[in-house]
Amino acid sequence: MGATTPDNIMQLSMGFWASKAVLSAVELGVFTALATGPANLSDLQTRLKLHPRAARDFLDTLVALRLLEREEGRYRNAPDTDLFLDKAKPSYIGGILEMANARLYGFWGSLTEALRTGEPQNEAKHSEDFFAAIYAEPARLRGFLEAMSGISAGAAQAIAAKFDWSKYTTFADVGAAQGMVPVVVARAHPHLKAIGFDLPSVQPIFEEFVNRQGLADRIRFQSGNFFDNPLPNADVIVMGHILHDWDLAEKRKLVEKAFAALPNGGALIVYDAVIDDDRRLNAFGLLMSLNMLIETRGGFDYTGADCQAWMRDAGFVSTRVEPLLGPDSMVIGFKPD
């Protein structure tokens, strides 16, 4: 047997060092700057407005974290950072990291208080409703919607590839945000038409994104509140990173409303960082549930078995769980013919 060491404990306990280095790099635009080509220390220090005392250690930290590469004194992006953290590329996922840096990083400093009180530690801590605050301010809303695109991009590609869309002609994304899922799925399956369903303030941002992708002829926006209004009628309804925001009664209500909106033979696709049934493996999903503790008054993440049970109680049949990308999985249920 090998010697027991504190390595894992130290890596986890001081993990916020690496996390903040990455988030600051995104905020400073390091990876976007290097997407145009390699640069030396002096050049980057000037372009990024870094203090001479900080620049070398900061950039070499990103090398050690395998986000940058350095050869003969010149820095360049690693392949994954060049693809996913260059703002100029459509594959950019940094929106969620920008939100993490601006909001979540500070709120997570109050996790102990959340664990003891069960109360949110975000804007709601000061009597400001989280969603109302974000949706009321255009610039803040755009940042949030771009963050949702970043966290949904990989899952959207997997849903487009793994679900059998050939049997259907229409789908609706409930809580569509900027429209990443409708865009990715519609582009992959030209026979489909889509609806993005979200609050009215989302419409101009959604339509701008869809128009930029050249898909306005097949994707339209429908405004509404998914608790107060009926859900759109479509062959397939998608709910991505939605259910975990709400308490159990609200989760069940949304699943039931999806069942009511679907035609016979229709399908519901729910995706989140679904926790493994034994609650031992998907650390990201469990941490996301703690994030819901910090962000919401009743939200929590759930296992595949939990979601299938809610679907079956609502009337869905042939439910199943399929992994997507990273920690995300989709739970699928079908309305009987």
Side-chain angles (χ1 to χ4, degrees), residues 4 9 82 149 178 203 205 209 213 230 252:
T4 300
I9 294 170
D82 197 62
S149 286
Q178 196 178 20
Q203 184 167 357
I205 300 171
F209 182 71
Q213 308 302 318
R252 287 185 176 275

Side-chain angles (χ1 to χ4, degrees), residues 130 163 320:
F130 164 49
F163 184 74
R320 67 178 189 268

Side-chain angles (χ1 to χ4, degrees), residues 118-178:
E119 294 295 322
Q121 301 301 310
N122 60 2
E123 294 87 350
K125 190 174 182 178
H126 305 289
S127 302
E128 185 181 17
D129 179 79
F130 164 49
F131 287 113
I134 285 178
Y135 277 73
E137 193 176 311
R140 203 173 182 186
L141 175 60
R142 181 177 291 274
F144 176 74
L145 298 181
E146 289 174 351
M148 294 304 98
S149 286
I151 203 171
S152 298
Q157 293 173 18
I159 291 169
K162 292 190 172 190
F163 184 74
D164 183 3
W165 293 97
S166 64
K167 305 174 184 177
Y168 308 102
T169 59
T170 60
F171 73 99
D173 186 17
V174 172
Q178 196 178 20

Side-chain angles (χ1 to χ4, degrees), residues 60-81:
D60 286 347
T61 294
L62 298 176
V63 172
L65 293 173
R66 296 186 295 178
L67 297 169
L68 295 182
E69 298 172 353
R70 189 188 68 235
E71 187 174 354
E72 297 181 352
R74 291 169 66 80
Y75 296 89
R76 63 171 178 258
N77 285 335
D80 53 351
T81 53

Side-chain angles (χ1 to χ4, degrees), residues 38-98:
N40 61 30
L41 175 62
S42 177
D43 182 25
L44 285 173
Q45 181 179 307
T46 301
R47 289 163 64 188
L48 301 174
K49 300 179 181 178
L50 300 175
H51 191 279
R53 183 179 173 215
R56 185 180 182 189
D57 284 347
F58 175 55
L59 294 169
D60 286 347
T61 294
L62 298 176
V63 172
L65 293 173
R66 296 186 295 178
L67 297 169
L68 295 182
E69 298 172 353
R70 189 188 68 235
E71 187 174 354
E72 297 181 352
R74 291 169 66 80
Y75 296 89
R76 63 171 178 258
N77 285 335
D80 53 351
T81 53
D82 197 62
L83 179 61
F84 296 116
L85 293 179
D86 172 15
K87 282 189 177 184
K89 293 185 175 66
S91 51
Y92 180 68
I93 64 165
I96 187 64
L97 305 185
E98 292 171 21

